[in-house]
Amino acid sequence: MIKVGIIGGAGYTAGELIRLLLNHPEAEIVFINSSSNAGNKITDVHEGLYGETDLVFTDQLPLDEIDVLFFCTAHGDTKKFLDSHNVPEELRIIDLSMDYRIASPEHDFIYGLPELNRRATCKAKHVANPGCFATCIQLGLLPLAKHLMLNEDVMVNAITGSTGAGVKPGATSHFSWRNNNMSVYKAFEHQHVPEIKQSLRQLQNSFDSEIDFIPYRGDFPRGIFATIVVKTKVALEEIIRMYQEYYAKDSFTHIVDKNIDLKQVVNTNKCLIHLEKHGDKLLIISCIDNLLKGASGQAVHNMNLMFNLEETVGLRLKPSAF
């Protein structure tokens, strides 16, 4: 059994991670650290887990008793923790914050997008889990980058559910504001754009165009639905072949010939992609569950790869669908 520790156990991504690991046949949760909730039952916070666990939050850190440590922490906190604690040399780490997503000589974290870095992740000791928007958008673009087809600016519009803002209440996550509403935020300046560009350049070294990304807040709890427009004269049939070939060995990313919708992926670790040509414009529609494929599901996928398990273990999940 893989012995697991979790730091930052009170948020949405932690709740989903706990749910997945409780049902994972090869994993056992040893501790869930949350100093503000120490001594409280997990179900006091994650009420959807009633009847599934008697675990309690702890402020202790028995790092020598675990094989892998997940960080479900606020951005910046993982780096602070690693800088201030003695972490066992062989302990594997999966960080769901954005602290180590950008490659640097100062750290050895692998960017954990399995559809891009599967082989490196299998050998990694430290993995930086991608951002949710970044995951959805990259999966829509990677096959084009592989074929050196991204030579102009890329237009992206994507809408995310309210859980993307985190569990802490705020003005734009308040039900009375969010319900029956929609708004743009961080236009052209979203924090996930640098990691998207990094991945595209990994496949297409010449890529120096802009990602013109307009994020939207949606009036639903979870999911990301992205539309991407790229100019190309390549025939749709050839593009579909490129995508099918690129994702042929991936268990969670699927090319769908019919139009897709969000409910087909919510509560799963899947990414669905639909492709259309309109003149010389290629429309790419990509959708994921922001808490699973965009966070905790992908983190468990990375854990499976790091411990040489079949990648779908613990992740065969039914979509909400209706």
Side-chain angles (χ1 to χ4, degrees):
M1 297 290 281
I2 302 168
K3 307 290 187 180
V4 176
I6 299 171
I7 293 180
Y12 289 132
T13 57
E16 288 296 81
L17 180 61
I18 294 164
R19 176 172 71 94
L20 292 175
L21 292 172
L22 286 172
N23 291 283
H24 194 293
E26 301 293 336
E28 177 187 345
I29 300 174
V30 174
F31 71 85
I32 303 170
N33 178 280
S34 175
S35 54
S36 61
N37 285 287
N40 295 333
K41 292 180 179 179
I42 301 303
T43 50
D44 288 344
V45 174
H46 303 296
E47 296 179 351
L49 296 177
Y50 281 130
E52 296 189 40
T53 180
D54 295 321
L55 286 168
V56 298
F57 291 105
T58 180
D59 57 3
Q60 300 302 301
L61 292 166
L63 300 179
D64 57 345
E65 297 178 15
I66 59 173
D67 303 305
V68 60
L69 180 63
F70 289 89
F71 283 91
C72 298
T73 44
H75 302 312
D77 286 354
T78 302
K79 188 176 189 306
K80 290 177 185 175
F81 182 95
L82 294 179
D83 287 346
S84 60
H85 290 76
N86 291 319
V87 176
E89 180 68 24
E90 295 306 312
L91 179 62
R92 290 180 172 91
I93 294 171
I94 300 174
D95 178 26
L96 279 76
S97 82
M98 63 183 293
D99 291 11
Y100 296 102
R101 291 174 187 164
I102 302 302
S104 168
E106 297 179 3
H107 68 78
D108 66 349
F109 278 75
I110 296 297
Y111 186 69
L113 186 67
E115 293 83 357
L116 177 66
N117 290 326
R118 174 181 276 98
R119 187 171 299 177
T121 300
C122 289
K123 300 176 182 178
K125 190 162 62 174
H126 300 150
V127 167
N129 219 56
C132 51
F133 269 131
T135 296
C136 190
I137 295 166
Q138 287 174 91
L139 293 176
L141 291 171
L142 291 179
L144 298 180
K146 182 181 179 182
H147 289 271
L148 311 181
M149 292 172 62
L150 298 177
N151 301 307
E152 297 187 44
D153 291 355
V154 179
M155 298 297 300
V156 182
N157 291 276
I159 186 167
T160 186
S162 57
T163 53
V167 72
K168 187 176 180 180
T172 60
S173 60
H174 196 289
F175 177 82
S176 60
W177 184 90
R178 194 102 179 194
N179 187 48
N180 295 325
N181 203 3
M182 186 173 174
S183 66
V184 168
Y185 70 109
K186 297 182 181 178
F188 300 100
E189 297 177 352
H190 196 276
Q191 65 271 18
H192 290 177
V193 171
E195 62 185 279
I196 297 170
K197 289 184 174 181
Q198 173 181 258
S199 295
L200 296 179
R201 290 188 183 118
Q202 186 175 328
L203 293 177
Q204 181 178 334
N205 188 53
S206 62
F207 178 75
D208 62 356
S209 303
E210 292 300 317
I211 304 289
D212 293 331
F213 175 31
I214 312 296
Y216 296 80
R217 301 180 182 97
D219 68 340
F220 50 91
R222 57 197 292 170
I224 290 176
F225 192 91
T227 56
I228 307 167
V229 178
V230 176
K231 285 188 177 181
T232 178
K233 296 187 181 300
V234 178
L236 179 61
E237 294 75 13
E238 177 64 13
I239 293 171
I240 291 173
R241 186 196 64 77
M242 292 174 186
Y243 275 72
Q244 290 173 336
E245 181 182 83
Y246 187 94
Y247 292 117
K249 295 181 180 179
D250 293 301
S251 301
F252 296 110
T253 301
H254 306 282
I255 313 306
V256 180
D257 58 1
K258 298 178 181 179
N259 207 345
I260 56 178
D261 61 75
L262 205 53
K263 283 190 174 182
Q264 294 169 323
V265 297
V266 169
N267 197 48
T268 79
N269 198 52
K270 296 177 185 177
C271 174
L272 298 187
I273 296 172
H274 175 67
L275 304 162
E276 296 180 4
K277 276 298 290 291
H278 299 267
D280 65 350
K281 294 183 177 68
L282 172 66
L283 171 63
I284 306 155
I285 305 172
S286 176
C287 61
I288 65 169
D289 184 316
N290 59 298
L291 294 180
L292 290 176
K293 182 60 174 167
S296 302
Q298 187 153 233
V300 171
H301 185 178
N302 282 321
M303 181 191 77
N304 288 344
L305 295 176
M306 294 168 80
F307 287 89
N308 198 32
L309 299 176
E310 202 280 320
E311 66 179 358
T312 63
V313 174
L315 291 170
R316 293 189 177 276
L317 306 168
K318 181 188 179 299
S320 59
F322 46 82

